[in-house]
Amino acid sequence: MRTQVAIIGGGPSGLLLGQILHKAGIDTIILERQSRDHVLSRIRAGVLEQGLVDLMTQAGVGDRLARDGIPHHGTILTHDEKELRIDFTRHAGRPVIVYGQTEVTRDLYAARDASGAPILHEVSDVELHDLDSDRPHVRFTQNGKSQRIDCDYIAGCDGFHGVSRQSIPSEKRREFEKTYPFGWLGILSETPPAHHELIYANSGRGFALCSMRNPMLSRYYVQCRVDDHVDNWTDQAFWDELRHRLPSQYADTLVTGPSIEKSIAPLRSFVCEPMQYGRLFLCGDAAHIVPPTGAKGLNAAAADVFYLSDALQRRYLDQDVQALEGYSARALARVWKIERFSWWMTSLLHRFPDQSEFDLRMQQTEMAMLAEDNRAKHTLALSYVGLPY
Ligand code: RFL
Ligand code: PHB
C-alpha cells in the first residue's frame, strides 16, 4: 500500500486530521488497533472549545454539533458551601460547547465512510520504520497477514500508550511528567443534570464534578484513591459520596438513577519534546496528557491537528517544505499553557493526601481572589474557553 500520510490511531486526533486532509485532497490511511465499537464505547471528554467546533465545521462535520451542542456561558466553582460563578461570555467573549467526544468520533467516522478513504481497524504489531529518511514506512498485521504502507509522512495520533512516541529514539526526546496522588471515578446516568452549568466542587471529602451530555444524560465524577477499583463503588455509594461533596442546594435536589457506565481514570500531566522526529509528527495524547480538571485533553489534541494539517497543506499545496519543521515548536508553545492551566485547576480544586492547613488556606485565598478580582476571572475564563491557535 502507498499513501501520502499514514495516520496511526483512529481516535479523535487521527480521524479529524484524516478528514481535514481529505478535504484538501491529501491521501491518508488510518490504522486503528481497536474495533470501531470499542472506540465508540469510550466515554471521555464533554466540553469543546470554539476552535474545535470551527475545525469540525470547516471539515464538513459540524451539522449535528451545531444542532445538538449546548452552549455553556459559565461554570460554577465551589469550596465547601461557598460558591462562585465564572461568566465565560462576559470575561472571555464566548461560551464553550457541551458535546461528547463519543459524538465527535461518531460524526468523524460517518465522514470517513462517506469519503471512501481507508481506515483499517483491529490492526496489531504496528512498527514505524526509516523515520529519519525521505521514505518512511509502516508495518502491521491485519487478519493474520503482514502488511506494509509506504508514505511521505507519519502522523502519530495513537494516544498515550501508542507506539509512535516510543518509536522516537530515547536520546532524541525529552519527557516531562507529573502524576497526581488520586484518580477520578466517573459515572454516566440517564438523569437530568444537577444544574444547567457544570459544577466543580472542592470539599473536605475531595473534589467532585457535575457535568452532562444532554438534558437527560448526566456525567459525574468524584476524586478517588489512585488504586481504587470500580467494583468498590455501588451506584448508591457513588451518589452518597457526590451529595456529601456538593453545596446543600445542589445535593438536596440531585436526581439519581442507575449508572450506565462507571470507570476510573488516573490523573497525569505529561509532555514529550519535541513532537517531531524526522518524518514522524506526534499529535494529541501521543505527545501530551493533562489532568481532566479544565476539560483540555481533547481540545489540546484539536489544536495540534490544526497546526499539523496547516503545515501538511502548505507542504503539499504550496510546496513549502519548511512548514512542517515549525510544527513542534508551534504546537508546544500552546501545549505548555494548557498544561499550566490544567495543573492549576487541579491544584485549586482537589484535596491532596499530604495537604497541610497552610495549603488549604492557599486554596481558599485563591478562591477569594477569584471572587473579588475580575482580572483573575478573566484569566481563568480565557483558558477555559480556549486560547487562540
Ligand atoms: P486517543 O483518544 O487515545 O486515541 C488514540 C487512538 O489510537 C489507538 N491506538 C493505536 N492504533 C494503532 N496502533 C497502535 N499501536 C495504537 N495504539 C493506540 C487507540 O486505540 C485510540 O483509538 O487519543 P487522541 O485521538 O489524541 O484524543 C485525545 C483525547 O481522547 C483525550 O485527550 C481526552 O479524551 C482526554 N480525556 C478527557 N479529556 C477531557 O477533556 N475531558 C475528560 O473528561 C476526559 N476524560 C480522557 C478522559 C482520557 C482518558 N484516557 C486516555 C485514559 C478519560 C480517559 C479514561
Ligand atoms: C466531562 O463532561 O466529561 C467533563 C467535563 C469537564 C471536565 C472534565 C470532564 O473538566
Side-chain angles (χ1 to χ4, degrees):
M1 285 182 256
R2 153 104 212 143
T3 191
Q4 290 175 304
V5 183
I7 299 177
I8 316 300
S13 302
L15 290 166
L16 183 58
L17 180 67
Q19 177 62 14
I20 295 171
L21 295 182
H22 170 75
K23 280 243 159 202
I26 299 167
D27 285 342
T28 61
I29 298 176
I30 299 180
L31 298 182
E32 167 57 48
R33 183 167 58 185
Q34 304 287 357
S35 68
R36 179 180 296 215
D37 285 348
H38 180 97
V39 175
L40 288 174
S41 70
R42 297 191 291 223
I43 309 294
R44 292 188 179 171
V47 176
L48 312 189
E49 297 173 0
Q50 190 60 43
L52 171 50
V53 174
D54 291 346
L55 272 184
M56 292 281 287
T57 309
Q58 284 153 21
V61 282
D63 288 354
R64 217 162 57 96
L65 175 50
R67 197 188 61 212
D68 298 343
I70 312 169
H72 276 217
H73 295 279
T75 194
I76 308 285
L77 307 183
T78 73
H79 192 113
D80 298 328
E81 288 292 322
K82 281 207 175 68
E83 177 177 335
L84 163 70
R85 180 170 183 269
I86 307 290
D87 188 323
F88 302 141
T89 308
R90 172 169 171 218
H91 293 290
R94 57 178 184 274
V96 290
I97 306 297
V98 167
Y99 188 75
Q101 176 168 332
T102 315
E103 303 311 314
V104 169
T105 312
R106 207 185 294 284
D107 294 341
L108 288 165
Y109 270 136
R112 187 86 189 168
D113 290 346
S115 75
I119 173 161
L120 310 181
H121 280 279
E122 296 179 74
V123 304
S124 56
D125 311 321
V126 174
E127 291 174 9
L128 314 186
H129 292 281
D130 299 334
L131 296 172
D132 55 354
S133 79
D134 290 349
R135 293 161 192 265
H137 71 272
V138 181
R139 289 183 183 278
F140 64 98
T141 305
Q142 195 187 30
N143 301 325
K145 205 171 143 218
S146 297
Q147 308 259 25
R148 170 180 170 136
I149 302 175
D150 291 284
C151 54
D152 301 333
Y153 300 100
I154 300 174
C157 302
D158 49 353
F160 184 67
H161 300 287
V163 67
S164 298
R165 188 179 66 255
Q166 304 298 340
S167 305
I168 302 178
S170 54
E171 69 279 9
K172 299 285 185 193
R173 62 183 141 98
R174 189 160 172 213
E175 297 185 344
F176 302 81
E177 182 165 27
K178 180 178 177 63
T179 54
Y180 298 83
F182 40 73
W184 279 18
L185 166 67
I187 70 161
L188 197 62
S189 82
E190 286 167 329
T191 50
H195 183 59
H196 68 279
E197 293 181 337
L198 271 62
I199 304 169
Y200 288 87
N202 179 340
S203 86
R205 298 172 69 108
F207 170 78
L209 170 60
C210 304
S211 182
M212 68 193 73
R213 292 295 177 270
N214 64 50
M216 263 317 287
L217 191 57
S218 296
R219 180 75 167 154
Y220 294 105
Y221 298 93
V222 293
Q223 172 184 347
C224 65
R225 288 164 54 117
V226 77
D227 58 357
D228 213 337
H229 195 274
V230 283
D231 296 343
N232 297 332
W233 289 86
T234 61
D235 288 354
Q236 192 56 47
F238 182 92
W239 293 119
D240 288 346
E241 190 57 40
L242 179 63
R243 270 203 202 91
H244 281 305
R245 297 182 187 197
L246 297 177
S248 40
Q249 64 153 317
Y250 301 110
D252 293 348
T253 54
L254 186 72
V255 180
T256 63
S259 67
I260 54 172
E261 196 265 358
K262 204 183 269 164
S263 53
I264 292 183
L267 267 68
R268 174 188 280 123
S269 299
F270 175 89
V271 179
C272 170
E273 285 189 348
M275 289 168 59
Q276 173 192 6
Y277 173 66
R279 293 209 164 203
L280 168 67
F281 298 87
L282 301 181
C283 200
D285 278 16
H288 42 76
I289 295 288
V290 288
T293 325
K296 289 291 150 216
L298 175 61
N299 292 299
D304 293 352
V305 168
F306 171 79
Y307 296 132
L308 185 55
S309 60
D310 179 57
L312 284 165
Q313 288 177 75
R314 286 200 271 149
R315 160 68 186 82
Y316 282 109
L317 310 181
D318 308 332
Q319 319 306 327
D320 175 358
V321 286
Q322 283 309 307
L324 281 160
E325 295 308 313
Y327 165 70
S328 176
R330 200 176 170 203
L332 281 166
R334 191 177 188 278
V335 163
W336 278 112
K337 294 178 192 145
I338 305 310
E339 291 286 343
R340 184 210 68 86
F341 176 67
S342 305
W343 158 83
W344 177 79
M345 286 281 280
T346 304
S347 311
L348 174 67
L349 293 164
H350 290 74
R351 292 296 163 107
F352 288 71
D354 59 353
Q355 191 162 354
S356 66
E357 285 298 311
F358 179 87
D359 298 329
L360 186 59
R361 288 298 170 105
M362 290 297 100
Q363 287 184 334
Q364 289 165 343
T365 306
E366 192 92 36
M367 285 290 283
M369 289 181 70
L370 274 171
E372 289 160 18
D373 186 351
N374 277 339
R375 289 166 305 182
K377 289 196 195 77
H378 184 75
T379 306
L380 192 163
L382 281 178
S383 281
Y384 199 96
V385 304
L387 298 175
Y389 289 170

